[in-house]
Amino acid sequence: MKYKPLKQMVLGFMAILATVGCSTKTQNETTTATPSKPNIIVIYMDDLGYGDISAYGATEINTPHMDKLANGGIRFTNGYATSATCTPSRYALLTGMYPWRNKNAKILPGTAPLLISTDQETLPKMLKEQGYYTGIVGKWHLGLGTGNVNWNEKISPSPNEVGFDYSHILAATQDRVPTVYIEDGHVVNLDPNDPIEVSYKKNFEGEPTGKENPELLSMRWHHGHNNSIVNGVPRIGFMKGGEAAKWSDVDMADHFLAKAQDYVKAHKDEPFFLYYALQQPHVPRTPHPRFAGKSGMGPRGDVILEADWCVGEFMKTLEEEGLMENTLIVFSSDNGPVLNDGYYDGAVEKLGDHTPAGPLRGGKYSLFEAGTRVPFMVYWKDKIAPQVSDALVCQMDLLNSVADLVGSEQKDLDSKNLLDVFMGESQKGREELILEASTRTALRQGDWVMIPPYKGPAVAGQVNIELGNDSEYQLYNLKEDMGQQNNVAASNPEKLQAMIADYNRIRGNENTEVEALELK
C-alpha cells in the first residue's frame, strides 16, 4: 500500500470517528474501535554496532528476531544516530534537534538535571497532542529534576513533564547510581525508613567501594567504575540506602520486557507511542542465566542474544494482541560499539572473528563512521515492502516524519520530513548531516564525509578505539571507501573547500568549543 493514500485514509477515518464516534459507542458499548492512527514504537539499543546483527552481515552471532524487522521492512545502510555517545543521541531522537545546539547535551552523571526543556517540542509531546497515549520503558539518561534530586520524594521534572504519560526507567545507565527503577517520578519499592542518598563527588562514610573493597566484587573494574558496589558490581558514583529498591541486574532485561508488554496490552485500544529503550549491550553486561555463555563471546555476545530474544518476545505480544498490522516499528541504536568500556568481562579476549563495527572504522566515542552509523530498520507489517535502502537518514528525522504521518503540523529546524523514505516510497534521504562525537563534529554530505582537524589522541587507549582526531583535514568517499582507509583531502581540494564552507554554514559558531574525551 502506498503511503499517501494510507495517510489520506487514516485522516479521513479520523474525521468520520469525530462525527459519529459518540453515537456508535452508544449503540454498541462492547465494540472496540480500531485505533484511528497507527501505533508508533521505537526500539532503541544501547551501544549496538553496525556489525552486531546478522542481517547486517554478522556471521558469528545470530539475531533472528532483529533480522525479522530488518528483512521484513526497510534495512537502512546509511542510518545514523546524531552522536557517538548516548545522551546526545537520545536528546536528538526525542527533540528532533542537533544536540550540539545544547551545550549540556553530553554524557550525563546520574544526578544531572533534566536536559530537555519542559517547554520544548518532543516526539512524545507531539504525539500526545494528536491523541496518543505515550510511554517510555527502559533507559532514560537525559537527566532528572533541577539538579538537586531528593530520590525519596516525587522526582520532577522527569519524562512525564516532556510528553510521556507513563515512564518506567532507570535514571541514567546500568553502570551509574542510583541503581533503582523510577516509575512516573517515584522510586519503585522504596522503603521510607531506608532513604536513598546519591553523590558523584564523595563517598558516604562506611560504604564499601570497588576501589577499596575488591574482595566484594563479582565483576572487576578496568577504568572508572570503582565507586559504590551493587550486586557485586562496582559503579560510577556513590549511593547509600534504598536496599529494597535496588534492581537485580540479571533480571533487568526481563523486567523491562514485561513492562513493555504490559504497556501495549493496556493501551491496545487507543493509539499509543512506546519508546522501548533496552540497556544491552552497554556495560555492565549481566545476562540472565538463561543466556550466560550461549554466544561463546562472553557477556557482550550473551546480552546481544538476550536482547534479540526480548525483541522476539515483544513482537510475539504485538502479534497476539492483534497490533502488528497497525503498528510502525523503528529499531536502532544510540551509537556504535565498544568492547572494554570499563569492566573486565572478556569482550576483547572472546571476540573471535566477530566484528561489532562491521566494515566501518572506529566505534563508540569516534568521529569515524562506526561511531554514528548504526543498525536502523523500519517495519510495518503489510504496509512497508521489504527492501534495503541506501538513503541517508537520521534518528533526528523521526519527529517531523512521524508528525506528517499522524497529521501534525510540527516542523523542527533540524528534523527532516522523510516519511516517504521511511515508508519505502523514496530513496531520496537527507542531503547532509552533522555528526558528533564528544563535542567534535564532522559533515556527512552525499557520499562524502569531511572531518575537520582536531587535537587529541588518535586512539582512546582505555577502550582502544580510533577517535578520528588528526592535525589535517580528512575527506573520505564512503561509496568507494566505506572503511575510511584513504584520506583524499589532498587530491580533492575543491571538494574539500566546498564541504568546509557547507560545514561552517550549518555549524556556525554555536558551541564549537571542543572538550577532551573523558572516560569514567
Side-chain angles (χ1 to χ4, degrees), residues 226-347:
N226 57 17
N227 300 150
S228 287
I229 304 169
V230 179
N231 303 330
V233 180
R235 317 282 170 155
I236 300 173
F238 303 100
M239 176 179 172
K240 180 181 180 181
E243 289 299 321
K246 290 179 179 177
W247 64 51
S248 165
D249 289 273
V250 298
D251 294 309
M252 183 175 286
D254 285 356
H255 179 86
F256 283 140
L257 170 62
K259 292 296 179 183
Q261 291 171 318
D262 290 345
Y263 178 87
V264 300
K265 290 176 184 178
H267 300 286
K268 65 181 179 180
D269 295 329
E270 61 185 321
F272 66 79
F273 167 62
L274 175 62
Y275 174 35
Y276 179 20
L278 289 78
Q279 86 278 10
Q280 305 104 318
H282 194 283
V283 295
R285 294 146 187 158
T286 53
H288 189 277
R290 299 191 310 273
F291 298 96
K294 298 299 183 182
S295 71
M297 288 188 284
R300 185 177 186 275
D302 297 343
V303 298
I304 292 175
L305 294 182
E306 178 183 59
D308 183 70
W309 175 83
C310 288
V311 170
E313 291 299 298
F314 181 66
M315 296 280 286
K316 186 187 300 182
T317 298
L318 295 178
E319 289 275 12
E320 291 171 350
E321 299 299 327
L323 294 169
M324 291 299 292
E325 287 78 7
N326 196 48
T327 300
L328 176 69
I329 302 172
V330 178
F331 178 101
S332 198
S333 176
D334 62 353
N335 51 249
V338 58
L339 296 177
N340 181 344
D341 205 21
Y343 297 98
Y344 289 102
D345 66 358

Side-chain angles (χ1 to χ4, degrees), residues 296-515:
M297 288 188 284
R300 185 177 186 275
D302 297 343
V303 298
I304 292 175
L305 294 182
E306 178 183 59
D308 183 70
W309 175 83
C310 288
V311 170
E313 291 299 298
F314 181 66
M315 296 280 286
K316 186 187 300 182
T317 298
L318 295 178
E319 289 275 12
E320 291 171 350
E321 299 299 327
L323 294 169
M324 291 299 292
E325 287 78 7
N326 196 48
T327 300
L328 176 69
I329 302 172
V330 178
F331 178 101
S332 198
S333 176
D334 62 353
N335 51 249
V338 58
L339 296 177
N340 181 344
D341 205 21
Y343 297 98
Y344 289 102
D345 66 358
V348 176
E349 296 81 1
K350 298 181 180 181
L351 185 63
D353 294 328
H354 181 59
T355 53
L360 306 178
R361 185 177 181 182
K364 184 178 181 178
Y365 311 114
S366 176
L367 266 182
F368 288 127
E369 284 293 284
T372 50
R373 198 194 298 200
V374 290
F376 197 133
M377 298 98 78
V378 179
Y379 179 94
W380 190 349
K381 186 176 180 180
D382 298 333
K383 301 294 192 299
I384 295 177
Q387 60 194 277
V388 177
S389 175
D390 295 330
L392 177 60
V393 297
C394 180
Q395 296 160 8
M396 182 171 59
D397 301 323
L398 291 176
L399 199 158
N400 281 9
S401 303
V402 170
D404 188 13
L405 176 64
V406 302
S408 170
E409 297 300 318
Q410 165 65 25
K411 297 292 183 291
D412 190 87
L413 173 66
D414 299 320
S415 181
K416 303 298 182 185
N417 183 356
L418 301 180
L419 184 56
D420 283 346
V421 179
F422 290 135
M423 293 298 296
E425 298 297 330
S426 171
Q427 289 272 333
K428 184 175 174 55
R430 278 181 160 264
E431 295 181 358
E432 55 197 12
L433 176 66
I434 295 288
L435 306 172
E436 186 263 339
S438 303
T439 69
R440 298 164 297 130
T441 50
L443 174 63
R444 170 76 198 263
Q445 190 177 66
D447 293 329
W448 299 81
V449 65
M450 184 277 296
I451 304 176
Y454 288 108
K455 297 178 181 179
V459 177
Q462 290 176 321
V463 295
N464 193 31
I465 289 175
E466 291 184 288
L467 296 175
N469 295 329
D470 197 288
S471 59
E472 304 292 334
Y473 278 97
Q474 298 177 72
L475 181 67
Y476 300 96
N477 185 320
L478 297 175
K479 188 173 184 179
E480 300 175 356
D481 180 22
M482 190 175 182
Q484 295 176 285
Q485 298 301 306
N486 185 23
N487 179 8
V488 295
S491 58
N492 289 267
E494 291 184 2
K495 182 63 176 178
L496 176 63
Q497 290 306 314
M499 289 193 70
I500 292 173
D502 286 334
Y503 172 83
N504 291 332
R505 167 180 54 81
I506 303 168
R507 190 71 169 87
N509 296 317
E510 200 165 4
N511 298 331
T512 52
E513 184 176 344
V514 175
E515 299 179 7

Side-chain angles (χ1 to χ4, degrees), residues 32-226:
T32 300
T34 301
S36 58
K37 294 184 179 182
N39 306 308
I40 311 293
I41 296 175
V42 174
I43 301 175
Y44 210 49
M45 300 296 297
D46 197 353
D47 295 355
L48 189 75
Y50 191 88
D52 276 327
I53 298 178
S54 40
Y56 276 80
T59 57
E60 306 304 304
I61 194 168
N62 187 31
T63 54
H65 304 295
M66 297 178 190
D67 290 356
K68 182 178 179 179
L69 294 174
N71 298 328
I74 306 175
R75 176 170 63 85
F76 288 98
T77 63
N78 285 292
Y80 286 82
T82 58
S83 309
T85 52
C86 51
T87 296
S89 293
R90 291 162 195 271
Y91 178 85
L93 170 70
L94 293 179
T95 66
M97 178 185 292
Y98 276 123
W100 45 263
R101 296 194 191 279
N102 185 335
K103 62 182 178 60
N104 295 316
K106 57 194 75 171
I107 302 175
L108 297 178
T111 52
L114 183 65
L115 181 63
I116 300 173
S117 171
T118 55
D119 60 7
Q120 190 169 355
E121 186 64 282
T122 65
L123 180 58
K125 191 179 291 185
M126 178 275 293
L127 288 168
K128 189 173 180 179
E129 292 164 353
Q130 293 298 313
Y132 279 72
Y133 192 87
T134 59
I136 172 175
V137 169
K139 174 178 172 176
W140 178 238
H141 207 188
L142 287 166
L144 293 167
T146 58
N148 188 23
V149 171
N150 183 343
W151 302 96
N152 308 291
E153 299 177 352
K154 183 174 182 180
I155 302 161
S156 182
S158 72
N160 299 77
E161 281 69 50
V162 293
F164 288 103
D165 292 303
Y166 172 78
S167 64
H168 189 97
I169 61 170
L170 59 89
T173 56
Q174 194 180 342
D175 58 347
R176 285 174 171 81
V177 298
T179 51
V180 296
Y181 298 122
I182 301 166
E183 185 169 280
D184 292 334
H186 298 278
V187 172
V188 178
N189 295 330
L190 179 64
D191 180 355
N193 297 313
D194 183 24
I196 295 173
E197 297 180 73
V198 174
S199 172
Y200 274 70
K201 295 181 179 179
K202 63 179 181 179
N203 193 22
F204 300 99
E205 185 175 355
E207 293 295 312
T209 67
K211 187 174 184 179
E212 302 296 332
N213 304 93
E215 74 280 1
L216 301 178
L217 303 181
S218 59
M219 184 181 296
R220 289 194 302 140
W221 60 278
H222 178 267
H223 59 269
H225 300 70
N226 57 17

